[in-house]
Amino acid sequence: MRALAQERALGDWAVKGLGCIGQIAIESLDDGTFLLSHRDDAGRADLTIHSGAEHADRLARFDDAENYRPLKTAPNLRHGWKMSLSDLEELRLALDHFYPGRLAAFFAFENGDLVTTPFRETLERQSGMYRIAAQISEEESDELIGNFCRSDGGCLRAILWRRDRIGTLPSTKLPPEKFDPGHDQAGAGGPVIPLLCQEACNLLVAEARRVVQAGR
Amino acid sequence: MENSLDTALLIVGHGSTVNPFSSMPTLMHATTIRQRHIFADVACCFWKEEPSLRDALFFFRDPAIREVCVVPNFISEGYFTRTVIPRELELSGPETGRANGQVWKYCEPVGNHESMTGYLLERAREVAPGVPEREATLLIVAHGTSLNDNSAIAAKLQAEKIRQRGLYAAVLNLYMEEPPLISDWLNLTETRNVVVVPFFISDGLHSYEDIPVLLGLETAQARAESGAQEIQGRSLFYSTAIGTDSRFADVIIEQAMAQRKQVSQSVS
């Protein structure tokens, strides 16, 4: 089957030396295969070897303590594994399990097609149980986003959206590099395939709802 | 099965921020379908998990992909299929043209498929082997919600279809959030044997935790692999969710193909 444009782009990113994504190191081997592992695990000889992308979902779903990871871009990826992948298609499938939707977002970003949505617009679009989330105040939003989305313990995405249509920064409590798509949010300073955030996730919307409810 | 290599498949699921097993059937069906090489690309997106429905707006950016079939892996027509999915995926109807020329086709949810009745009956027989159907009540239990009156229709239709076959002493459709309520099952049923099949996509929070509580079961009892649970002189047989059936992969493909056919017929 013909490689999809996104898989070809992934090959180009590897050639360019974008050897990491989030907490994962991507090693491109001469025979066209790939090895993935946790960046913290470099040099470890006791890693469990997995062959094939189908193992990625299980590894991505639970942290080191076997707790469910509802946010895959949270900096709590489990350790102790190495994954062997036979080609670009498998690499894409595996990375789509580890960081769902992020390759597509970066591909769109590189092609100038990634549309961002302001936080307020996301909230105003909600219905049902999430409708009240739009009642969150500016101060509460600043605090919530600054805490929930921070790369240190929150989420490793680079935020591209703004808080409102006039371009207010999502939070004054986040450092400027949180909004830089070229910055390695994992803190190691390597050339990375960035985890781009084009719109507030459902978890953040749910937190906004919780904040509004708590203030009532 | 005809190949559709200019067509991608997007399976939309609910997902959960709490239950790790909620999205597993949807992901499992996607893997099955991907391995058949029927579509140019196969992806999932979720309301409460990643990738989100909004993320899916940036999927399938390959020039060879001209069509995207969107199949809701939802049991019933309702709030999600009528309101949330069209809004989040910016779908304007059965067919939505995108700026890049792609056409996104919005398909029927899996729960509307004609094979559901047979699958529900098979599940009921599997969970209560040896129980004479004429002496049992079958409960098709679903969510139901006040947000959209259509959400309970699929379960009601299935109960009616099974009732018409005259197999069970009684067939009832009961709901978590609207009458007739699951929690009233003891008053609503008369037979000693009661078989319960959750008309749900996955063994997530509702079918694993909430409904057993509404039935008066301990969670661990509901998770027992087989056998009856005795409650107030009744024998209750509780099945796993219907959507965990591996044949749902075929249903997803058929819902996608049906929409493609329907749209091409209306154009020609």
Side-chain angles (χ1 to χ4, degrees):
Chain A
M1 206 169 178
R2 193 183 60 86
L4 294 167
Q6 198 183 300
E7 287 159 12
R8 298 194 298 274
L10 185 53
D12 293 341
W13 300 336
V15 169
K16 278 188 201 168
L18 304 184
C20 294
I21 180 169
Q23 292 179 285
I24 293 176
I26 308 168
E27 195 179 341
S28 306
L29 304 181
D30 292 340
D31 61 357
T33 64
F34 299 89
L35 283 175
L36 303 184
S37 58
H38 197 299
R39 292 168 77 176
D40 293 350
D41 289 341
R44 269 178 66 173
D46 59 341
L47 302 177
T48 304
I49 310 291
H50 300 275
S51 182
E54 65 271 18
H55 300 280
D57 176 55
R58 169 81 197 173
L59 290 171
R61 197 168 285 267
F62 301 97
D63 66 13
D64 285 327
E66 289 291 327
N67 294 313
Y68 176 46
R69 300 174 68 233
L71 180 63
K72 301 293 185 294
T73 45
N76 59 354
L77 181 68
R78 72 184 300 145
H79 296 81
W81 55 271
K82 190 175 267 260
M83 180 172 291
S84 156
L85 301 163
S86 60
D87 54 23
L88 278 170
E89 184 184 0
E90 277 225 312
L91 177 63
R92 180 174 78 104
L93 285 173
L95 293 180
D96 275 344
H97 279 301
F98 282 115
Y99 293 118
R102 296 310 101 206
L103 293 178
F106 184 47
F107 184 66
F109 177 78
E110 286 223 309
N111 289 300
D113 293 334
L114 190 67
V115 178
T116 64
T117 305
F119 183 57
R120 283 284 167 201
E121 206 171 294
T122 302
L123 295 183
E124 285 157 15
R125 207 180 59 234
Q126 302 303 311
S127 57
M129 65 185 278
Y130 294 111
R131 192 187 295 275
I132 63 161
Q135 293 174 23
I136 191 168
S137 71
E138 289 305 301
E139 295 73 24
E140 288 167 336
S141 295
D142 191 63
E143 183 73 28
L144 170 66
I145 296 164
N147 186 45
F148 191 83
C149 302
R150 71 189 196 282
S151 293
D152 173 20
C155 175
L156 293 173
R157 298 188 196 190
I159 299 178
L160 301 184
W161 44 269
R162 291 293 181 257
R163 204 192 305 167
D164 50 37
R165 288 180 190 85
I166 58 169
T168 306
L169 275 177
S171 173
T172 56
K173 302 183 185 313
L174 293 169
E177 59 267 26
K178 182 66 182 175
F179 314 110
D180 176 4
H183 183 75
D184 178 7
Q185 301 293 334
V192 294
I193 297 170
L195 303 169
L196 302 180
C197 189
Q198 80 282 4
E199 180 166 359
C201 64
N202 178 273
L203 287 165
L204 183 57
V205 173
E207 281 301 300
R209 172 180 178 262
R210 190 189 55 74
V211 168
V212 171
Q213 283 183 318
R216 279 187 167 180
Chain B
M1 178 66 69
E2 174 195 356
N3 282 2
S4 312
L5 295 180
D6 64 347
T7 303
L9 174 66
L10 178 65
I11 310 170
V12 186
H14 190 282
S16 169
T17 56
V18 180
N19 190 305
F21 308 108
S22 175
S23 57
M24 281 186 176
T26 303
L27 292 167
M28 182 183 76
H29 303 322
T31 300
T32 303
I33 297 168
R34 196 175 288 123
Q35 287 166 350
R36 294 188 195 172
H37 300 292
I38 300 168
F39 297 95
D41 198 5
V42 179
C44 300
C45 64
F46 299 94
W47 174 229
K48 293 221 174 184
E49 281 184 45
E50 302 160 274
S52 68
L53 280 81
R54 301 295 288 174
D55 288 333
L57 290 172
F58 303 101
F59 290 0
F60 314 122
R61 297 294 175 100
D62 187 292
I65 298 176
R66 307 311 303 151
E67 287 181 8
V68 176
C69 291
V70 180
V71 179
N73 194 26
F74 280 74
I75 278 302
S76 61
E77 201 76 72
Y79 174 59
F80 287 102
T81 61
R82 297 279 173 91
T83 303
V84 175
I85 296 173
R87 182 189 72 209
E88 298 292 295
L89 289 179
E90 300 175 4
L91 302 174
S92 54
E95 269 196 307
T96 304
R98 301 294 196 203
N100 63 3
Q102 242 174 28
V103 176
W104 286 42
K105 294 179 174 174
Y106 192 33
C107 310
E108 294 277 311
V110 294
N112 282 4
H113 194 267
E114 59 187 10
S115 61
M116 285 303 119
T117 315
Y119 292 168
L120 287 166
L121 279 169
E122 281 180 39
R123 272 292 153 101
R125 287 172 188 144
E126 284 164 13
V127 77
V131 172
E133 291 162 355
R134 291 297 309 162
E135 297 167 19
T137 299
L138 176 60
L139 304 183
I140 307 297
V141 298
H143 193 280
T145 171
S146 57
L147 277 170
N148 187 324
D149 290 336
N150 294 311
S151 68
I153 286 178
K156 188 181 175 195
L157 284 175
Q158 292 303 330
E160 278 171 7
K161 283 183 182 176
I162 297 171
R163 205 175 292 129
Q164 282 166 10
R165 297 192 186 191
L167 300 167
Y168 284 87
V171 183
L172 301 176
N173 44 294
L174 305 185
Y175 305 108
M176 292 173 63
E177 293 193 354
E178 64 184 74
L181 289 167
I182 295 167
S183 53
D184 282 340
W185 74 274
L186 276 164
N187 297 324
L188 296 168
T189 59
E190 293 174 354
T191 57
R192 175 174 169 74
N193 293 317
V194 177
V195 184
V196 185
V197 182
F199 200 31
F200 280 84
I201 284 298
S202 70
D203 281 321
L205 216 55
H206 297 318
S207 70
Y208 241 40
E209 313 269 349
D210 300 337
I211 294 174
V213 170
L214 294 171
L215 289 167
L217 288 171
E218 296 291 334
T219 306
Q221 281 182 306
R223 289 180 189 179
E225 282 187 6
S226 61
Q229 309 299 330
E230 299 299 320
I231 296 182
Q232 297 191 29
R234 309 290 193 89
S235 296
L236 193 66
F237 299 84
Y238 190 67
S239 154
T240 52
I242 189 76
T244 58
D245 193 310
S246 62
R247 290 169 297 185
F248 263 56
D250 300 312
V251 174
I252 291 168
I253 294 168
E254 285 182 24
Q255 295 298 59
M257 294 301 177
Q259 182 66 17
R260 292 187 75 217
K261 208 172 285 177
Q262 194 179 327
V263 172
S264 66
Q265 277 171 355
S266 68
V267 168
S268 60

